[in-house]
Amino acid sequence: MPGFIDAVITVISLALDIYWWILIASAIFSWLYAFNVINSSNQFVNAIGNFLYQATEPVLRPIRNRLPNMGGIDLSPLIVLLAIVFIKMILMNPIRPFLISLFI
């Protein structure tokens, strides 16, 4: 059973890593789009932007609704990235032996 729990924790950690990079890509894409660096009429660019928006918006929207208006600055990706780091630290360090001992 400990091997199964290790596998689940590893998969969760990998999923968090992937979402980390999706958030960063979404932030960079939004900057490039805002400053007209990329061609918004290109179908491939729109497909990438649509994917990044749909992948990140369900997580970012509730955080944006709770944050005060900061002008044009969106701190919600930063908060989600910090939450990912926090979750990974909990999963990988302090409670990992405790979680494994619960299922043995």
Side-chain angles (χ1 to χ4, degrees), residues 80-101:
V80 174
L81 291 175
L82 290 173
I84 289 173
V85 169
F86 179 73
I87 292 168
K88 284 189 64 167
M89 287 175 66
I90 289 174
L91 283 177
M92 294 312 223
N93 291 327
I95 67 166
R96 187 176 187 154
F98 174 71
L99 286 175
I100 292 172
S101 70

Side-chain angles (χ1 to χ4, degrees), residues 29 32-33 35-47:
F29 185 87
L32 294 175
Y33 189 82
F35 293 117
N36 289 326
V37 174
I38 54 176
N39 184 4
S40 60
S41 63
N42 186 334
Q43 191 174 18
F44 180 70
V45 171
N46 278 337

